[in-house]
Amino acid sequence: MTTKKVLIVDDEERIRELVQVCLEELGGWATLGAASGQEALQIAHTESIDVILLDVSMPDMDGFAVCEQLQANSVTQSIPVILLTAKVQPSDRARFAQMKIAGVITKPFEPLTISQNVAEILGWGD
Amino acid sequence: MAVHQDITDRKRIEDALRESEEKFRQLAENIQAVFWMTDLHNQQVLYVSKAYETIWQRSCQSVYQNFSDWLEAIYPDDRQRVDIAFMEQLRTGQSDTKYRIIRPDGSIRWIRDRAFPIKDELGEIIRIAGIAEDITELQKVEQIKSEFIGIVSHELRTPLTAIRAALGLLNSGIYDNKPDKFKRMIEIASIDSDRLVRLVNDILDLERLESGRSVLEKTTCEAADLIEQAVESVKAIAKQEHITLIQHPTNTKVWAAADAIIQTLTNLLSNAIKFSPPNSTITLSVQPQSDRVLFQISDRGRGIPADKLELIGIPADKLELIFGRFHQVDASDSRDKGGTGLGLAICRSIIEQHGGQIWAQSTLGVGSTFFFALPLPRK
């Protein structure tokens, strides 16, 4: 079985770095990082991605816009998306419920279990 | 004799009653709240004060004649709430409800409506009386407060995410034998702790400024001095980013709280530096004008989109723009560059307390200029 490839989208460099470490070292997966929505869409089109971990609050193009773009394209619409976000208010949750996403992980996330959380959301068995 | 006394007494009582009614009427007619009275089963409005015409923008007459007029003005989503209040009143004579109304001109107001029972000698409720107040401004403040808390919660979570992850990884032991990676985790935790400190300080600064607790003591200052001090504090970063600072000061005096204006200039300069490409220049100038002193900071950064630009220039009595959308102008753009996202909000608050204005012009891909104007010293 080939190892999973995760695309991490977050404008914060250190958070990207940390998520990548958690998923690589503790989850055993391969990761790619994107600092913006634009970059994320490019990578999603050219690489074979198993799941996208997507931040919501990003300048220029936010997570909502990225999701829309992913859905609008036949190449990318089947890639599962998990939001990784600091937006936790009821109004935010309501908005997330309207989106075609696999799940939401809130920040600050638990570093030692995030890869498990991702696997659980996506039903990736052991 | 007895008859005369009777008549005098009666007249005195009547006069006293009339005087008392007159006092009540004056009070009711002049206060900005609506006094009202209905019969127990709310079929008939017995009294509604003049303020109804100001707040509801409908005539008192319309309520006396047709109670359903009043019901129809209630915002549909809130209608259920009002129905529940009526049931409360039937039971206890009391209720305390907030609901929205739609006025003939389409505007919406929040109302707080409190009802009290009026009982007869047997303790039976015979009437309901109440006060209805327009609490729209209060609701706005509540909404701003909760928006602010939402934004603060969001902004605090970001550095905490990095700190928690870095320390969690260290704690797990995976880097016990990898000193370089170990060090990197500590570095990250350290950088984001600093950021958290700056954020907390900015939040408190902003809150103090906005609440009026921070009174800025103004004196006559040399504009050139203020600029010099601000430049000093950002010199190192500018050098690091290979950005040249050019000053065009003039010998102008200004009426200002020196520290606060230096903080403003430093904030604006830091922003300019953050968004300027390497080897570009930032220009600072001061121009005395007839009734004010104009400060200008120009950069050759990527520019600010028009919809965000106009938020900067809007008068700051719109609190929601300070804490809400305005904050979003700065937050997502400057966060990744180590800013707290509250810098511009703080600048605005300071300038406002000087009776000045702050605004910006920008061309995408070319650069931006931030302006603020301060009053001249008093003669």
Side-chain angles (χ1 to χ4, degrees), chain B residues 100-129:
Chain B
R100 282 161 291 184
I101 57 168
I102 306 175
R103 305 204 280 196
D105 67 359
S107 59
I108 296 177
R109 307 299 288 180
W110 272 99
I111 304 291
R112 182 182 182 192
D113 206 338
R114 282 172 286 179
F116 312 93
I118 294 183
K119 298 180 180 166
D120 64 14
E121 317 83 46
L122 302 171
E124 297 290 312
I125 302 173
I126 52 168
R127 301 229 169 103
I128 312 282

Short mmCIF file of all heavy atoms in Angstrom, two decimals, chain B residues 100-129:
data_model
loop_
_atom_site.label_atom_id
_atom_site.label_comp_id
_atom_site.label_asym_id
_atom_site.label_seq_id
_atom_site.Cartn_x
_atom_site.Cartn_y
_atom_site.Cartn_z
N ARG B 100 -37.41 42.94 17.87
CA ARG B 100 -37.17 43.97 16.87
C ARG B 100 -38.48 44.43 16.26
O ARG B 100 -39.44 43.66 16.19
CB ARG B 100 -36.27 43.42 15.76
CG ARG B 100 -34.80 43.35 16.15
CD ARG B 100 -34.05 42.42 15.25
NE ARG B 100 -34.47 41.03 15.50
CZ ARG B 100 -33.89 39.99 14.90
NH1 ARG B 100 -32.94 40.19 14.01
NH2 ARG B 100 -34.30 38.77 15.17
N ILE B 101 -38.50 45.69 15.86
CA ILE B 101 -39.66 46.20 15.12
C ILE B 101 -39.18 46.72 13.77
O ILE B 101 -38.01 47.10 13.61
CB ILE B 101 -40.39 47.34 15.87
CG1 ILE B 101 -39.41 48.47 16.17
CG2 ILE B 101 -41.05 46.81 17.13
CD1 ILE B 101 -40.10 49.75 16.64
N ILE B 102 -40.09 46.71 12.80
CA ILE B 102 -39.77 47.28 11.49
C ILE B 102 -40.59 48.55 11.35
O ILE B 102 -41.81 48.52 11.49
CB ILE B 102 -40.14 46.31 10.36
CG1 ILE B 102 -39.47 44.95 10.61
CG2 ILE B 102 -39.70 46.87 9.01
CD1 ILE B 102 -39.88 43.89 9.60
N ARG B 103 -39.89 49.67 11.13
CA ARG B 103 -40.59 50.95 11.04
C ARG B 103 -41.07 51.19 9.60
O ARG B 103 -40.58 50.53 8.68
CB ARG B 103 -39.67 52.07 11.50
CG ARG B 103 -39.14 51.79 12.90
CD ARG B 103 -38.71 53.03 13.61
NE ARG B 103 -37.39 53.49 13.21
CZ ARG B 103 -36.69 54.35 13.91
NH1 ARG B 103 -37.18 54.84 15.04
NH2 ARG B 103 -35.51 54.75 13.50
N PRO B 104 -42.02 52.11 9.43
CA PRO B 104 -42.54 52.38 8.08
C PRO B 104 -41.44 52.68 7.06
O PRO B 104 -41.58 52.34 5.89
CB PRO B 104 -43.44 53.62 8.28
CG PRO B 104 -43.84 53.53 9.71
CD PRO B 104 -42.71 52.90 10.45
N ASP B 105 -40.32 53.27 7.51
CA ASP B 105 -39.26 53.58 6.55
C ASP B 105 -38.34 52.38 6.31
O ASP B 105 -37.35 52.47 5.61
CB ASP B 105 -38.43 54.80 7.01
CG ASP B 105 -37.62 54.51 8.27
OD1 ASP B 105 -37.70 53.40 8.83
OD2 ASP B 105 -36.89 55.42 8.72
N GLY B 106 -38.68 51.25 6.91
CA GLY B 106 -37.90 50.03 6.67
C GLY B 106 -36.81 49.79 7.69
O GLY B 106 -36.22 48.70 7.75
N SER B 107 -36.51 50.80 8.52
CA SER B 107 -35.42 50.62 9.49
C SER B 107 -35.87 49.68 10.62
O SER B 107 -37.05 49.55 10.91
CB SER B 107 -34.98 51.96 10.06
OG SER B 107 -36.06 52.63 10.68
N ILE B 108 -34.89 49.03 11.21
CA ILE B 108 -35.17 48.06 12.26
C ILE B 108 -34.60 48.55 13.59
O ILE B 108 -33.47 49.03 13.63
CB ILE B 108 -34.54 46.70 11.90
CG1 ILE B 108 -35.23 46.17 10.63
CG2 ILE B 108 -34.68 45.70 13.05
CD1 ILE B 108 -34.67 44.88 10.13
N ARG B 109 -35.38 48.46 14.63
CA ARG B 109 -34.90 48.87 15.96
C ARG B 109 -35.12 47.71 16.93
O ARG B 109 -36.08 46.95 16.81
CB ARG B 109 -35.67 50.09 16.49
CG ARG B 109 -35.73 51.27 15.56
CD ARG B 109 -34.39 51.86 15.22
NE ARG B 109 -33.76 52.59 16.31
CZ ARG B 109 -32.57 53.18 16.22
NH1 ARG B 109 -31.88 53.11 15.10
NH2 ARG B 109 -32.06 53.83 17.24
N TRP B 110 -34.22 47.61 17.90
CA TRP B 110 -34.38 46.65 18.98
C TRP B 110 -35.14 47.34 20.12
O TRP B 110 -34.85 48.46 20.49
CB TRP B 110 -33.01 46.21 19.50
CG TRP B 110 -32.44 45.05 18.77
CD1 TRP B 110 -31.52 45.08 17.78
CD2 TRP B 110 -32.75 43.67 18.98
NE1 TRP B 110 -31.22 43.82 17.36
CE2 TRP B 110 -31.96 42.92 18.08
CE3 TRP B 110 -33.61 42.98 19.84
CZ2 TRP B 110 -32.01 41.53 18.00
CZ3 TRP B 110 -33.65 41.59 19.77
CH2 TRP B 110 -32.86 40.88 18.87
N ILE B 111 -36.12 46.61 20.67
CA ILE B 111 -36.94 47.16 21.75
C ILE B 111 -36.80 46.26 22.97
O ILE B 111 -36.81 45.03 22.85
CB ILE B 111 -38.43 47.20 21.33
CG1 ILE B 111 -38.61 48.00 20.05
CG2 ILE B 111 -39.30 47.75 22.47
CD1 ILE B 111 -38.36 49.48 20.19
N ARG B 112 -36.68 46.88 24.15
CA ARG B 112 -36.83 46.11 25.38
C ARG B 112 -38.14 46.50 26.02
O ARG B 112 -38.37 47.68 26.30
CB ARG B 112 -35.68 46.37 26.34
CG ARG B 112 -35.83 45.52 27.60
CD ARG B 112 -34.77 45.77 28.61
NE ARG B 112 -34.96 44.88 29.76
CZ ARG B 112 -34.33 45.00 30.90
NH1 ARG B 112 -33.47 45.99 31.07
NH2 ARG B 112 -34.57 44.15 31.88
N ASP B 113 -39.00 45.54 26.23
CA ASP B 113 -40.37 45.80 26.67
C ASP B 113 -40.62 45.09 28.00
O ASP B 113 -40.58 43.86 28.07
CB ASP B 113 -41.34 45.27 25.61
CG ASP B 113 -42.66 46.00 25.63
OD1 ASP B 113 -42.99 46.61 26.69
OD2 ASP B 113 -43.37 45.98 24.60
N ARG B 114 -40.83 45.87 29.06
CA ARG B 114 -41.08 45.28 30.38
C ARG B 114 -42.49 45.57 30.84
O ARG B 114 -42.95 46.70 30.73
CB ARG B 114 -40.10 45.85 31.41
CG ARG B 114 -38.73 45.22 31.31
CD ARG B 114 -37.74 45.93 32.20
NE ARG B 114 -37.35 47.22 31.66
CZ ARG B 114 -36.50 48.04 32.28
NH1 ARG B 114 -36.00 47.71 33.45
NH2 ARG B 114 -36.19 49.19 31.72
N ALA B 115 -43.16 44.53 31.33
CA ALA B 115 -44.56 44.68 31.74
C ALA B 115 -44.72 44.42 33.24
O ALA B 115 -44.01 43.59 33.82
CB ALA B 115 -45.43 43.71 30.95
N PHE B 116 -45.61 45.17 33.84
CA PHE B 116 -45.88 45.02 35.29
C PHE B 116 -47.39 44.92 35.51
O PHE B 116 -48.16 45.56 34.80
CB PHE B 116 -45.39 46.25 36.05
CG PHE B 116 -44.00 46.67 35.68
CD1 PHE B 116 -43.79 47.61 34.68
CD2 PHE B 116 -42.91 46.12 36.31
CE1 PHE B 116 -42.51 48.00 34.32
CE2 PHE B 116 -41.61 46.51 35.95
CZ PHE B 116 -41.42 47.45 34.96
N PRO B 117 -47.80 44.14 36.50
CA PRO B 117 -49.24 44.01 36.74
C PRO B 117 -49.78 45.17 37.57
O PRO B 117 -49.07 45.72 38.40
CB PRO B 117 -49.32 42.70 37.54
CG PRO B 117 -48.00 42.63 38.26
CD PRO B 117 -46.99 43.32 37.39
N ILE B 118 -51.01 45.54 37.28
CA ILE B 118 -51.71 46.50 38.16
C ILE B 118 -52.87 45.74 38.79
O ILE B 118 -53.68 45.14 38.07
CB ILE B 118 -52.22 47.71 37.34
CG1 ILE B 118 -51.01 48.49 36.82
CG2 ILE B 118 -53.10 48.60 38.23
CD1 ILE B 118 -51.39 49.75 36.07
N LYS B 119 -52.86 45.71 40.11
CA LYS B 119 -53.83 44.85 40.80
C LYS B 119 -54.87 45.66 41.53
O LYS B 119 -54.64 46.83 41.89
CB LYS B 119 -53.09 43.96 41.82
CG LYS B 119 -52.08 43.02 41.17
CD LYS B 119 -51.36 42.16 42.19
CE LYS B 119 -50.38 41.25 41.44
NZ LYS B 119 -49.40 40.62 42.33
N ASP B 120 -56.02 45.07 41.74
CA ASP B 120 -57.06 45.74 42.54
C ASP B 120 -56.90 45.37 44.02
O ASP B 120 -55.94 44.71 44.40
CB ASP B 120 -58.46 45.39 42.01
CG ASP B 120 -58.76 43.90 42.16
OD1 ASP B 120 -58.03 43.18 42.90
OD2 ASP B 120 -59.72 43.45 41.52
N GLU B 121 -57.86 45.85 44.84
CA GLU B 121 -57.74 45.65 46.30
C GLU B 121 -57.72 44.18 46.67
O GLU B 121 -57.23 43.79 47.73
CB GLU B 121 -58.88 46.32 47.08
CG GLU B 121 -59.24 47.71 46.60
CD GLU B 121 -60.19 47.66 45.41
OE1 GLU B 121 -61.16 46.90 45.46
OE2 GLU B 121 -59.90 48.38 44.42
N LEU B 122 -58.25 43.33 45.80
CA LEU B 122 -58.31 41.91 46.11
C LEU B 122 -57.05 41.18 45.63
O LEU B 122 -56.93 39.97 45.78
CB LEU B 122 -59.54 41.25 45.46
CG LEU B 122 -60.88 41.86 45.85
CD1 LEU B 122 -62.00 41.31 44.99
CD2 LEU B 122 -61.15 41.57 47.34
N GLY B 123 -56.12 41.97 45.03
CA GLY B 123 -54.90 41.35 44.54
C GLY B 123 -55.07 40.72 43.17
O GLY B 123 -54.20 40.02 42.67
N GLU B 124 -56.20 40.97 42.54
CA GLU B 124 -56.42 40.45 41.18
C GLU B 124 -55.78 41.39 40.17
O GLU B 124 -55.85 42.60 40.30
CB GLU B 124 -57.94 40.39 40.88
CG GLU B 124 -58.71 39.45 41.79
CD GLU B 124 -58.37 38.00 41.49
OE1 GLU B 124 -58.38 37.60 40.30
OE2 GLU B 124 -58.05 37.26 42.44
N ILE B 125 -55.19 40.81 39.15
CA ILE B 125 -54.58 41.65 38.12
C ILE B 125 -55.68 42.21 37.24
O ILE B 125 -56.49 41.46 36.67
CB ILE B 125 -53.62 40.82 37.22
CG1 ILE B 125 -52.52 40.18 38.09
CG2 ILE B 125 -52.98 41.72 36.17
CD1 ILE B 125 -51.64 39.21 37.30
N ILE B 126 -55.76 43.55 37.19
CA ILE B 126 -56.80 44.15 36.36
C ILE B 126 -56.25 44.81 35.10
O ILE B 126 -56.94 44.93 34.09
CB ILE B 126 -57.62 45.19 37.15
CG1 ILE B 126 -56.69 46.19 37.84
CG2 ILE B 126 -58.53 44.50 38.16
CD1 ILE B 126 -57.42 47.41 38.38
N ARG B 127 -54.99 45.22 35.17
CA ARG B 127 -54.39 45.86 34.00
C ARG B 127 -52.92 45.46 33.90
O ARG B 127 -52.31 45.02 34.89
CB ARG B 127 -54.44 47.38 34.14
CG ARG B 127 -55.82 47.96 34.27
CD ARG B 127 -56.02 49.12 33.30
NE ARG B 127 -57.44 49.48 33.27
CZ ARG B 127 -57.94 50.53 33.89
NH1 ARG B 127 -57.13 51.34 34.57
NH2 ARG B 127 -59.23 50.77 33.82
N ILE B 128 -52.35 45.65 32.72
CA ILE B 128 -50.90 45.51 32.55
C ILE B 128 -50.35 46.87 32.15
O ILE B 128 -50.90 47.52 31.25
CB ILE B 128 -50.53 44.51 31.44
CG1 ILE B 128 -51.32 43.21 31.58
CG2 ILE B 128 -49.05 44.26 31.41
CD1 ILE B 128 -50.81 42.30 32.64
N ALA B 129 -49.27 47.28 32.82
CA ALA B 129 -48.59 48.52 32.43
C ALA B 129 -47.16 48.18 32.04
O ALA B 129 -46.63 47.15 32.46
CB ALA B 129 -48.60 49.50 33.59
#
